[in-house]
Amino acid sequence: EVLAFARARGYGAVVLSTSMVQVAAQRLYEGQGFRRVGTSYPSLLGTLLNFQIFHYRCELGDGN
């Protein structure tokens, strides 16, 4: 629904983030065409614990 909504309104891409422990979400996004484009840490504690946030992007193209 989100991808269709964004395409219909002329957006070129959809971006989102999820945590490293949300493996089912990662698989869902990758299955829908998202690719991981980066990682970050939510806080200093997250850095110390190596708790990463994964950033994803799905290019929508021009709708053709």
Side-chain angles (χ1 to χ4, degrees):
E1 287 293 320
V2 169
L3 297 178
F5 178 92
R7 271 192 196 95
R9 285 154 182 80
Y11 288 93
V14 173
V15 296
L16 57 83
S17 300
T18 192
S19 75
M20 62 186 285
V21 298
Q22 295 173 296
V23 177
Q26 294 168 39
R27 288 186 182 135
L28 173 69
Y29 302 144
E30 291 167 4
Q32 293 298 313
F34 284 82
R35 63 182 180 87
R36 192 181 309 171
V37 294
T39 60
S40 64
Y41 297 94
S43 64
L44 177 59
L45 180 59
T47 302
L48 294 172
L49 296 174
N50 196 33
F51 184 85
Q52 297 178 331
I53 301 297
F54 297 148
H55 306 286
Y56 285 87
R57 181 179 180 98
C58 182
E59 297 295 333
L60 300 178
D62 61 9
N64 293 325

